[in-house]
Amino acid sequence: MTRPFIYVTRKCSKEQLQPLYEIANVEMWPEEEIPCPRELLLEKAKKADALLTMLSDAIDKQLLDEAKQLKVVANLAVGFDNIDVRYAKERGVVVCNTPDVLTDTTADLTFGLILATARRLMEASDFVKNNQWKSWGPLLLAGHDVHHKTIGIVGMGKIGQAVAKRATGFEMNILYHNRSRNEEAESRFGASYASLDELLAKADFVICLTPLTEETRELFNKEAFKKMKTSAIFINVSRGAVVNEDDLYEALTKNEIAGAGLDVFLNEPIEADHPLVGLNNVVALPHIGSASFDTRYTMMNLCAENIASVLKGEEPKTRVVVK
Ligand code: GLV
Ligand code: GLV
């Protein structure tokens, strides 16, 4: 029997992918920061039994039609909006993601971004590094408090819940909005369910953690920003497309909201001349929500285990289920 062929679309740690090397011929795109070109991905997909993909790879109808032998796509992310999951299901291709293992790491980053934006940590750090610190001043680089304020979490999944847990330590009032009530978040962390409008009107920190779907695309638009307090800080750790970036820019420049902390953008990567990056009240990060060494290695390993399971005819640990 010929060994299955697995293509990994970005340089990953071979140690973490060991379960794959034991059962298959594994090829890997050798670059860490340059994505595998589309043409090459299509060519490799045509003969692949499995793909280990990144959120920057479009696994669409064209690819799935051409990938006649493909049995499984394991995405190195909890999000899977880069994959046409419904069509994959029609084609009998199993899709897996990496939930749970990145929950705490992403919640830590979310809280870091809240603090960095509210307390102006990046500006303050640049101030020292640029040799601007000449004296201490009562309102020098003064920002907004986080403790005891109201946090509004839009998307109360596992990460939302882990953010709520951290918010209890800051003695915050916790509101959340979600498609369905999350009783665990209510009983464990004292989170209160709110309509989206109520959350937007009351929250000092509006935290976007909702997955990108057709329903959530541009959920944060002009109308939404107008409903927020002028002192509100908007944090996005989900996907850029959940926000209308032109509307966000306008809300920030017209002082309709106070600031934004963004780990994700509509078209990634963005460049330094992106309008949002030029604003002092924006903290911009290069999509590093789950980027700790431990978590990224664990995610690689989970992808490898999932692929190995599917190729052995077993149920993978974390299959994406669509209705
Ligand atoms: C990162 O954005 C992920 O979906 O894991
Ligand atoms: C991730 O695991 C989420 O459900 O938010």
Side-chain angles (χ1 to χ4, degrees), residues 10 15 40 45 89 151 177 191 194 209 217 221 233 243 265 268 284 290 293 309:
R10 203 68 69 91
E15 204 183 318
L40 185 71
K89 187 179 177 186
I151 187 170
H177 181 73
L209 281 167
R217 189 175 294 278
N221 55 17
I233 288 179
V243 178
F265 295 86
E268 296 176 1
S290 62
F293 287 111
S309 297

Side-chain angles (χ1 to χ4, degrees), residues 78 99-100 102-103 157-160 209:
V78 65
D100 309 327
L102 48 59
T103 299
K158 290 178 187 144
I159 300 170
L209 281 167

Side-chain angles (χ1 to χ4, degrees), residues 217-235:
R217 189 175 294 278
E218 298 201 5
L219 178 68
F220 292 96
N221 55 17
K222 199 186 285 276
E223 290 71 45
F225 293 120
K226 279 196 197 305
K227 287 172 190 158
M228 294 184 195
K229 295 182 182 181
T230 53
S231 57
I233 288 179
F234 175 70
I235 302 288

Side-chain angles (χ1 to χ4, degrees), residues 85-86 89 179 320-323:
V85 179
R86 240 174 224 110
K89 187 179 177 186
R179 268 184 312 183
V320 172
V321 181
V322 282
K323 290 185 193 97

Side-chain angles (χ1 to χ4, degrees), residues 145-285:
D145 276 328
V146 174
H147 66 87
H148 295 96
K149 294 288 176 100
T150 295
I151 187 170
I153 299 171
V154 179
M156 191 56 107
K158 290 178 187 144
I159 300 170
Q161 217 165 293
V163 169
K165 181 175 187 178
R166 284 154 179 74
T168 63
F170 285 75
E171 299 184 74
M172 298 179 89
N173 175 34
I174 305 169
L175 300 178
Y176 78 97
H177 181 73
N178 201 47
R179 268 184 312 183
S180 50
R181 292 283 283 262
N182 183 325
E183 277 161 26
E184 193 184 341
E186 295 182 20
S187 62
R188 285 184 63 195
F189 308 118
S192 306
Y193 180 83
S195 68
L196 184 60
D197 281 359
E198 185 191 354
L199 181 150
L200 296 177
K202 289 189 176 162
D204 298 300
F205 296 91
V206 176
I207 316 298
C208 173
L209 281 167
T210 183
L212 172 63
T213 63
E214 280 324 304
E215 291 79 58
T216 63
R217 189 175 294 278
E218 298 201 5
L219 178 68
F220 292 96
N221 55 17
K222 199 186 285 276
E223 290 71 45
F225 293 120
K226 279 196 197 305
K227 287 172 190 158
M228 294 184 195
K229 295 182 182 181
T230 53
S231 57
I233 288 179
F234 175 70
I235 302 288
N236 189 6
V237 197
S238 149
R239 285 293 180 271
V242 179
V243 178
N244 180 313
E245 290 183 347
D246 293 335
D247 292 353
L248 174 59
Y249 180 83
E250 198 174 302
L252 287 162
T253 50
K254 288 186 172 165
N255 300 318
E256 289 172 358
I257 65 171
L262 308 169
D263 187 42
V264 289
F265 295 86
L266 180 58
N267 294 309
E268 296 176 1
I270 57 164
E271 296 190 0
D273 63 0
H274 188 288
L276 286 166
V277 174
L279 301 177
N280 280 338
N281 52 354
V282 168
V283 174
L285 301 178

